């Protein structure tokens, strides 16, 4: 945790479930909120399920976010969704540059930066994802890779817009494997230094989330690490009980 930074626990629902299941999941999260004191919560359903999640929350107290947005403001971009459309649908956040989008859609740091600019222009808080592959970690390049992704993916107005960074080692996503707590702390320390250097006065308190196989059994230890200001949760966010248990692991 970082002093004076309220942690954020974000659920990335990815491309899962039916409309009915999304409604039930959102309702399950809303119904269990009294056990969560120390963190803000965010759920990020697929575009088509945003409206049921937003309706369940009555726009509060759990924030709603998209999993991607276009870098363009509007116009002839078939199949894309703009940041303004997400804001209009009740979103406060948008996940950008997730490793699955970088891998599946060839998203570059430059494109992620352009999307982050579009998100900020629409009043959304971007959650920019970075993280190394297993080969990069094994060859000792992890911190340099992440520092380069930060330099390339974050726009100049990122910190002022209260942007969020999520460190998600690619090899830890959906695998049940996590870095050691020392490795997470070291990476988050490096990211803090990069952000404080680039955005003096704001980078010191930018939320830095950890993501990659966070579950109720490891959440408390990870969330207690220095410079870990919350979690981006994939698989475990699809069960309301597990997502709430992770959020409840943040001390009140
Ligand atoms: C993710 O994809 O953002 C993620 C963290 O997934 P999981 O928690 O399933 O590893």
């Amino acid at each position: 945790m970082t002093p004076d930074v309220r942690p954020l626990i974000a659920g990335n629902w990815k491309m899962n479930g039916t409309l009915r299941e999304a409604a039930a999941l959102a309702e399950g999260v809303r119904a269990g909120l009294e056990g969560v004191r120390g963190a803000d919560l965010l759920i990020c359903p697929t575009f088509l399920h945003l409206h049921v999640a937003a309706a369940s929350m009555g726009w509060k107290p759990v924030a709603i976010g998209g999993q991607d947005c276009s870098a363009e403001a509007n116009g002839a971009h078939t199949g894309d969704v703009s940041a303004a459309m997400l804001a209009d649908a009740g979103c406060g956040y948008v996940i950008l540059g997730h490793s699955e989008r970088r891998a599946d859609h060839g998203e570059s740091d430059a494109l992620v930066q352009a999307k982050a600019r579009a998100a900020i222009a629409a009043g959304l808080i971007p959650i920019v994802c970075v993280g190394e592959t297993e080969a990069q970690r094994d060859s000792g390049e992890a911190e340099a890779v992440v520092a380069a992704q930060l330099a390339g993916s974050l726009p100049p107005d990122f910190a002022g817009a209260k942007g969020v960074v999520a460190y998600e080692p690619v090899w830890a996503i959906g695998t049940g494997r996590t870095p050691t707590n020392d490795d997470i702390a070291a990476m988050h320390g490096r990211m803090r230094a990069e952000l404080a250097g680039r955005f003096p006065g704001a980078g010191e308190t930018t939320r830095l989330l950890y993501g990659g196989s966070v579950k109720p059994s490891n959440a408390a230890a990870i969330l207690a690490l220095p410079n870990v200001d919350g979690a981006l949760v994939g698989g475990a966010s699809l069960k309301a009980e597990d997502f709430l248990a992770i959020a409840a692991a943040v001390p009140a």
Side-chain angles (χ1 to χ4, degrees):
M1 298 174 77
T2 302
D4 301 326
V5 176
R6 186 165 166 83
L8 174 69
I9 306 296
N12 176 9
W13 292 3
K14 308 194 185 185
M15 194 173 70
N16 287 299
T18 63
L19 196 56
R20 187 185 293 256
E21 287 164 347
L25 182 51
E27 200 49 36
V29 171
R30 196 192 58 76
L33 285 176
E34 69 282 350
V36 179
R37 295 265 152 68
D40 292 340
L41 291 193
L42 164 68
I43 53 177
C44 300
T46 191
F47 293 137
L48 289 173
H49 298 167
L50 284 170
H51 68 289
V52 292
S56 177
M57 297 310 164
W59 311 100
K60 282 181 180 174
V62 175
I64 310 292
Q67 298 173 13
D68 180 44
C69 71
S70 174
E72 304 298 331
N74 53 45
H77 303 287
T78 302
D80 286 345
V81 171
S82 73
M85 289 170 178
L86 290 179
D88 192 39
C91 291
Y93 292 79
V94 61
I95 298 169
L96 295 173
H98 190 283
S99 62
E100 288 155 12
R101 292 209 60 84
R102 291 178 186 260
D104 294 354
H105 301 278
E107 293 196 2
S108 63
D109 289 340
L111 180 60
V112 174
Q113 179 171 159
K115 290 183 174 198
R117 283 176 195 260
I120 292 166
L124 297 177
I125 296 175
I127 301 177
V128 173
C129 302
V130 294
E132 81 285 359
T133 63
E134 188 160 25
Q136 288 165 335
R137 175 153 289 273
D138 289 347
S139 61
E141 297 169 87
E143 286 192 20
V145 165
V146 166
Q149 287 176 327
L150 290 175
S153 303
L154 304 185
D157 50 352
F158 179 79
K162 304 208 183 305
V164 177
V165 172
Y167 167 56
E168 297 206 308
V170 179
W171 53 274
I173 294 177
T175 60
R177 299 163 57 208
T178 58
T180 65
N181 289 339
D182 283 351
D183 285 345
I184 295 173
M187 182 64 84
H188 278 242
R190 173 68 185 265
M191 294 197 303
R192 178 67 71 212
E194 295 290 331
L195 285 162
R198 180 161 169 205
F199 305 111
E204 296 82 355
T205 53
T206 298
R207 278 165 159 167
L208 304 181
L209 312 186
Y210 168 77
S213 297
V214 176
K215 43 191 183 249
S217 59
N218 62 18
I222 292 173
L223 292 167
L225 295 170
N227 293 305
V228 175
D229 309 312
L232 181 53
V233 185
S237 72
L238 297 175
K239 279 192 194 158
E241 193 187 327
D242 286 356
F243 185 60
L244 290 163
I246 290 167
V250 179

